[in-house]
Amino acid sequence: MAEVHDSFCRFCHASCAIKVTVEDGRAVSVIGAKDNPVYHGYTCAKGRALPEQHANPSRILHTMKRDAEGNHNPVPVEQAMDEIAEKLSRIVAEHGPRSVALYTGTFSFPYPAGAPMAGAWLQSLGSPMLFTSATIDQPGKMIAPALHGTWGGGPYHFDDADVWMLLGANPTISKSIGIPCMNPGKRLHDAVKRGLQLIVIDPRESEAARDAAVFLQPKPGEDPTILAGMIRLILAEGLTDESFVDAHTQGLTELRSAVEPFTLDYVERRAGVPGEDVARAARLFASLSNGGVNVGTGPNMAPRGNLTEYLGLVLNTLTGHWRREGEALPNPGVLMAPSPSKAQAFDPYPAWGFGEHLRVRGLTNTVAGMPTAGLADEILMPGEGQVKALFSLGGNPMAAWPDQDKTLAAMNELELNVSLDIKMSATAKLADYVIAPKLSLEVPGMTLPTESLTPYAMGYPEPYAMYSPAIVDPPEGSDVIEEWEFFYGLAQRMNLPLTLAASYEWGPDSEAPEVTELDMSCPPTNDELFEALTKGARVPLSEVKKYSEGAIFPYEALVEPADADATGRLDFADRTMMGELAEVALEPIDRDSYYAFRLVSRRLPDVHNSAGRDIPKLVRKWSYNPAFMNPEDLTDHGLEKGDMIEITSSHSSILGIVEPEEGIRRGVISMPHAFGDAPGSPDDKDVRKIGSNTGRLSSVERNCDRYSGIPLMSAIPVNITAAEERIPGQGV
Ligand SMILES: Nc1nc2c(c(=O)[nH]1)N[C@H]1C(S)=C(S)[C@@H](COP(=O)(O)OP(=O)(O)OC[C@H]3O[C@@H](n4cnc5c(=O)[nH]c(N)nc54)[C@H](O)[C@@H]3O)O[C@H]1N2
Ligand SMILES: Nc1nc2c(c(=O)[nH]1)N[C@H]1C(S)=C(S)[C@@H](COP(=O)(O)OP(=O)(O)OC[C@H]3O[C@@H](n4cnc5c(=O)[nH]c(N)nc54)[C@H](O)[C@@H]3O)O[C@H]1N2
Ligand code: SF4
Ligand SMILES: [Mo]
């Protein structure tokens, strides 16, 4: 019999509220929950494909173990855990705990207990080698506030802002930075209707750009130049919020001289955007008091992402775009502990140089985490501390890490490679063990992870939360476990005690999170773990559970007055950032002119990084990643839709299939990442079927950020040539 259950989607971080029709323990259809006060019935194609994802023939339902010939065969998960624990104990005894690394990727996010349990296990093992995708995503987002300092009242929120600026972010599609991720299309529509002035800076006319009052379409990689030009104009025309600047900042004089070279004329010549449009954007941004700026993945992956993020904060501070004393907080937290919100500045704090040091390129731990772009070299470089074992949790290094050839070499070097994945991904195919996990609707969930995105202008502006029990059974005959159960099971076998911290605390003034010691003789239930993770929550989990459709838990909270002894200052002139800005000013305008194109990152609506590519319904339009280009560029190169090109960077080359797109700036190739397969794998050259991997174009040794290690992953200088059709499996 069919029953309809309330739940929420976990195909991306947006956690859309859904109604799932379940028949005989299996999901058969998904629709948006139209009465939900936050999502208003929104779902995307991925969410509606949850039934297909759960029943997908390519989903692995048993742990797979690689044999000597490289073939994978099913083994019972308990046996795999015994073998892994034993092998790991040997590796740790011989090489020390640092030889074990954990990488948590995109799909560690939707499962609240997975990454915390894996982290607790690694910590108990004594290894500092915890890596996440954050340092190959938007590391500047954490680094810039450390260098600038933070405002205790927090940022304004998109929903009630008068002016908003998006640099290289396309939240309408990505459900990411800028517009809160729950039904961003409706939020943008409502905002524009009530008069929001949107400024978008993007080399491609993104979906978000269509609603922009000012749209700048620059040459990729010139965001520091544009922002410096806007700051210069705001200072020159006296458009700053003087009282805010006087009371809460330092370094204005140094900033003024650092931006001096960035005249409108210079910005126009260098970034290829009309100077008057830059001025219009700056004046608009400064003229309205409730606003904000967000920087997305584009500029973070282009040169000097930290600087772009930093200058974005400088712009916010100069114009006083921070929430003030007595103003209402949109969401003081529901499942998170409320953290005090005070109208005062907090001083900068160290962004890097602490904690574990990598052995390569002078990289250290950072506020964005350990530099993932250095991990392949940590695996490859012999000597004390060499990483011998890698655990990938919901991530796909072969698809997502920059410098794919090096990643492949690293995967082949490992003594123990374990992947927790729902399919035989490019990484899983190289792993010694692939642990088959339960999927979202088969496990309890709560919206705590999405709530944790609130400080990044992505989470809930409304004090909303939802808990969902498991609503379907794992497929019959399967042997699947939850990710946390795997790490708990390893810890049990290795006699490691585990403590779990209540996670997702944030704020410069937050208290230390409460911790729970786990009973290692008897596995906890999911709900017990959720209780541990929400200790100190404003609304107890038990209360949230009463509302099966999710609910808003209202609470009036205002930004409090500053402490009497508050002395913090936001810094306009961090030395490293000013040094980088001086370097920008010294660069020749026509650098890299040998390369005619810049390849930029972008996302497709129906797949999530490398996930979803195996679900037929989601790849009806594109099973590969087209190389989107301006139609006139195609004509100039004698190319037509569907032609194959070779795209060559200073590091490597890939094949691409061209696709005209009107809104792309000339000289730009816009191409999604995480497609293709491992170099040399049988499918690798079947570009028309599986696309190609843009990560292969990046070197992790050159053009990298000195601190996060992120290399050029957007605004990559490339050339193109027409390419011959390749025969699958025959190599280039
Ligand atoms: N060139 C280039 N490289 C990039 C980017 C770019 O724009 N350009 N973007 C970067 C960014 S922003 C990021 S975040 C990283 C992403 O880096 P990763 O997280 O390493 O890569 P994904 O492709 O998201 O890998 C997700 C994996 O999780 C698996 N999976 C799906 N559902 C589940 C589940 O329920 N449980 C488990 N255990 N696994 C599941 C998928 O099959 C897939 O193999 O890539 C980065 N790499
Ligand atoms: N459907 C879908 N949603 C996703 C994902 C997905 O793969 N598919 N991935 C998820 C992940 S992991 C993340 S981190 C977020 C990312 O979310 P966003 O940061 O919003 O990512 P994109 O949608 O790629 O938008 C980046 C924009 O930057 C522009 N850009 C590229 N280079 C430059 C540059 O040098 N300067 C400027 N100004 N702009 C530039 C691109 O043209 C593009 O429009 O999305 C998440 N959401
Ligand atoms: S936006 Fe994200 S959470 Fe919402 S339906 Fe799509 S994939 Fe699911
Ligand atoms: Mo990401």
Side-chain angles (χ1 to χ4, degrees):
M1 216 191 56
E3 283 175 351
V4 177
H5 291 265
D6 295 311
S7 190
F8 65 95
C9 174
R10 279 150 271 178
F11 209 128
C12 88
H13 49 273
S15 301
C16 296
I18 51 175
K19 303 270 177 194
V20 186
T21 304
V22 178
E23 264 177 40
D24 302 327
R26 312 189 71 177
V28 293
S29 76
V30 166
I31 56 166
K34 76 172 184 328
D35 296 329
N36 187 280
V38 167
Y39 295 92
H40 304 284
Y42 179 81
T43 54
C44 77
K46 301 186 290 295
R48 295 189 296 273
L50 287 176
E52 288 83 351
Q53 187 201 29
H54 281 64
N56 203 351
S58 67
R59 178 177 171 196
I60 52 168
L61 299 176
H62 299 268
T63 292
M64 305 299 275
K65 180 182 176 184
R66 195 163 121 122
D67 63 22
E69 283 78 49
N71 300 315
H72 285 90
N73 306 297
V75 290
V77 66
E78 293 290 330
Q79 177 195 325
M81 282 157 78
D82 291 343
E83 293 176 11
I84 293 168
E86 199 201 310
K87 185 148 187 196
L88 202 56
S89 300
R90 263 191 287 126
I91 291 175
V92 173
E94 202 178 323
H95 304 288
R98 191 194 192 270
S99 64
V100 182
L102 169 68
Y103 167 68
T104 62
T106 309
F107 284 87
S108 62
F109 182 85
Y111 303 99
M117 188 72 86
W121 161 80
L122 193 74
Q123 196 178 16
S124 189
L125 192 68
S127 170
M129 302 298 270
L130 169 61
F131 296 79
T132 76
S133 47
T135 46
I136 51 167
D137 185 330
Q138 295 155 87
K141 194 137 272 108
M142 282 71 98
I143 288 175
L147 303 178
H148 181 61
T150 51
W151 178 250
Y156 283 118
H157 239 283
F158 183 86
D159 283 338
D160 48 25
D162 299 319
V163 63
W164 209 261
M165 183 152 83
L166 298 173
L167 271 99
N170 188 24
T172 332
I173 296 297
S174 68
K175 319 291 185 291
S176 200
I177 309 301
I179 309 176
C181 64
M182 35 306 297
N183 202 341
K186 178 177 179 338
R187 286 177 196 266
L188 176 57
H189 180 259
D190 292 350
V192 170
K193 221 165 88 184
R194 69 170 167 73
L196 172 90
Q197 301 289 305
L198 182 69
I199 302 164
V200 172
I201 304 182
D202 197 310
R204 122 174 214 267
E205 191 186 341
S206 61
E207 283 74 1
R210 290 173 198 159
D211 285 303
V214 183
F215 172 44
L216 303 180
Q217 197 170 12
K219 200 172 150 188
E222 299 298 354
D223 302 279
T225 298
I226 297 168
L227 290 181
M230 291 173 76
I231 291 168
R232 186 182 183 279
L233 180 127
I234 284 170
L235 290 172
E237 296 188 356
L239 305 177
T240 58
D241 182 332
E242 239 174 89
S243 62
F244 187 85
V245 169
D246 286 349
H248 302 295
T249 71
Q250 64 188 29
L252 188 63
T253 311
E254 295 92 322
L255 177 70
R256 207 182 277 279
S257 63
V259 297
E260 197 42 42
F262 297 90
T263 62
L264 289 183
D265 173 61
Y266 176 80
V267 176
E268 175 162 331
R269 281 187 293 125
R270 176 164 176 160
V273 277
E276 64 200 61
D277 287 357
V278 176
R280 205 151 59 89
R283 289 185 190 121
L284 182 60
F285 190 74
S287 67
L288 296 163
S289 55
N290 186 333
V293 47
N294 294 116
V295 180
T297 47
N300 270 281
M301 294 175 181
R304 298 195 177 86
N306 298 337
L307 181 60
T308 304
E309 290 274 8
Y310 183 81
L311 294 177
L313 293 177
V314 166
L315 204 55
N316 257 352
T317 300
L318 273 178
T319 51
H321 284 149
W322 296 112
R323 197 174 290 276
R324 306 304 172 80
E325 182 182 335
E327 289 183 326
L329 288 173
N331 179 2
V334 181
L335 289 168
M336 294 205 305
S339 86
S341 183
K342 293 178 190 162
Q344 69 188 67
F346 289 85
D347 281 333
Y349 45 95
W352 53 72
F354 49 82
E356 184 64 15
H357 286 45
L358 293 197
R359 299 173 303 149
V360 295
R361 296 188 283 287
L363 295 167
T364 66
N365 198 1
T366 74
V367 279
M370 295 278 275
T372 295
L375 182 47
D377 277 315
E378 281 287 342
I379 296 167
L380 288 166
M381 190 203 257
E384 207 183 317
Q386 184 178 9
V387 171
K388 302 276 182 183
L390 177 68
F391 291 74
S392 301
L393 169 58
N396 189 356
M398 280 312 303
W401 289 4
D403 209 335
Q404 205 197 23
D405 289 310
K406 193 186 277 279
T407 306
L408 176 63
M411 295 295 134
N412 288 332
E413 186 69 25
L414 287 166
E415 280 183 27
L416 178 63
N417 186 357
V418 179
S419 177
L420 292 92
D421 206 308
I422 58 168
K423 68 178 181 193
M424 292 306 286
S425 70
T427 305
K429 284 189 239 173
L430 300 167
D432 298 305
Y433 295 89
V434 189
I435 308 298
K438 289 185 182 170
L439 249 175
S440 55
L441 300 179
E442 296 157 4
V443 299
M446 60 173 168
T447 51
L448 177 62
T450 304
E451 188 177 325
S452 77
L453 299 172
T454 307
Y456 301 105
M458 288 164 70
Y460 296 108
E462 301 86 1
Y464 170 90
M466 181 170 181
Y467 166 91
S468 168
I471 58 164
V472 301
D473 305 324
E476 222 166 286
S478 64
D479 178 22
V480 285
I481 61 169
E482 276 200 70
E483 290 86 345
W484 70 259
E485 290 179 283
F486 172 75
F487 289 101
Y488 179 89
L490 280 191
Q492 270 188 321
R493 285 163 173 82
M494 298 173 79
N495 291 319
L496 298 170
L498 296 180
T499 45
L500 219 52
S503 30
Y504 313 113
E505 290 246 357
W506 63 282
D509 222 11
S510 300
E511 285 173 20
E514 292 188 47
V515 294
T516 305
E517 269 179 41
L518 298 184
D519 177 353
M520 296 311 293
S521 60
C522 171
T525 63
N526 252 300
D527 283 18
E528 283 165 355
L529 291 175
F530 285 12
E531 289 289 349
L533 292 167
T534 55
K535 264 191 186 170
R538 180 173 70 79
V539 182
L541 184 64
S542 54
E543 181 66 16
V544 172
K545 280 182 178 175
K546 290 180 188 160
Y547 303 86
S548 69
E549 296 176 280
I552 289 176
F553 298 84
Y555 185 70
E556 292 251 316
L558 305 180
V559 178
E560 295 161 22
D563 290 336
D565 56 353
T567 56
R569 292 254 154 188
L570 302 174
D571 190 4
F572 284 137
D574 171 76
R575 272 181 57 194
T576 309
M577 291 296 99
M578 292 304 102
E580 289 197 14
L581 193 55
E583 283 171 21
V584 173
L586 288 173
E587 281 169 356
I589 283 185
D590 62 347
R591 70 201 183 291
D592 292 323
S593 56
Y594 170 75
Y595 295 95
F597 287 88
R598 299 288 178 274
L599 185 133
V600 297
S601 57
R602 69 101 67 74
R603 262 117 188 113
L604 291 178
D606 293 353
V607 291
H608 201 72
N609 302 333
S610 70
R613 284 172 46 198
D614 54 335
I615 301 172
K617 198 172 160 180
L618 296 181
V619 291
R620 246 180 243 147
K621 190 162 181 197
W622 312 115
S623 69
Y624 59 91
N625 51 339
F628 295 98
M629 291 171 65
N630 185 292
E632 289 179 40
D633 279 338
L634 295 191
T635 310
D636 279 4
H637 283 77
L639 292 167
E640 284 179 19
K641 178 183 164 76
D643 281 352
M644 181 100 66
I645 53 170
E646 184 152 9
I647 304 169
T648 306
S649 69
S650 64
H651 183 62
S652 187
S653 70
I654 58 169
L655 298 174
I657 297 159
V658 299
E659 184 69 31
E661 190 179 290
E662 292 287 347
I664 293 179
R665 185 189 161 94
R666 291 205 62 180
V668 173
I669 303 174
S670 164
M671 199 165 170
H673 67 290
F675 278 78
D677 207 319
S681 71
D683 291 333
D684 180 42
K685 288 291 169 283
D686 202 352
V687 178
R688 289 198 188 275
K689 199 167 128 211
I690 63 162
S692 36
N693 191 275
T694 55
R696 214 174 286 179
L697 297 170
S698 303
S699 160
V700 291
E701 289 166 60
R702 281 176 294 125
N703 292 325
C704 302
D705 178 69
R706 256 166 272 175
Y707 309 104
S708 69
I710 192 172
L712 271 197
M713 291 158 59
S714 193
I716 307 172
V718 293
N719 277 323
I720 62 166
T721 49
E724 305 264 312
E725 201 71 34
R726 286 351 196 248
I727 301 160
Q730 302 271 307
V732 181

